[in-house]
Amino acid sequence: MMLPCLLHTLTGFDCPFCGMQRAIVALFSGNISEAFALNPVVWCLMPYFGIVLMCSFSSKLRQSYIGVWAMKNSTISAVVAVLLIWGIIRNLI
């Protein structure tokens, strides 16, 4: 049983992360193409999310070039903008 998306439940619109639970289940089942099809943008941003997660645990990585880049306000703003645009586009399709 999957947890329902609060935004989808309240508004009927898909959030930028809708489909991720099903995508993770598909990925663990070995169906990579289905996992990617369920939410392609978030999978493309997954390396960035991984870097941010690692930076939160490692001060050495946080101080490296990639850590500084990942934590810059402009980078975070760009990722948020991509997610917002994806959220709008997926509801128009």
Side-chain angles (χ1 to χ4, degrees):
M1 175 131 190
M2 303 281 178
L3 295 172
C5 173
L6 184 61
L7 181 72
H8 186 74
T9 303
L10 294 175
T11 65
F13 292 112
D14 290 332
C15 77
F17 295 100
C18 278
M20 282 308 296
Q21 289 180 76
R22 288 175 283 140
I24 290 170
V25 169
L27 185 65
F28 286 145
S29 299
N31 196 340
I32 296 170
S33 60
E34 181 184 352
F36 187 77
L38 285 165
N39 200 328
V41 171
V42 174
W43 287 110
C44 292
L45 292 174
M46 203 59 72
Y48 172 77
F49 294 139
I51 291 168
V52 170
L53 182 65
M54 288 187 296
C55 284
S56 67
F57 291 109
S58 169
S59 61
K60 193 172 192 174
L61 182 61
R62 193 178 315 124
Q63 294 169 357
S64 71
Y65 174 78
I66 193 80
V68 170
W69 169 82
M71 301 308 230
K72 285 174 68 173
N73 286 339
S74 58
T75 306
I76 295 169
S77 298
V79 170
V80 169
V82 166
L83 288 171
L84 287 173
I85 291 167
W86 169 239
I88 292 168
I89 290 172
R90 76 181 314 192
N91 285 294
L92 295 176
I93 300 176

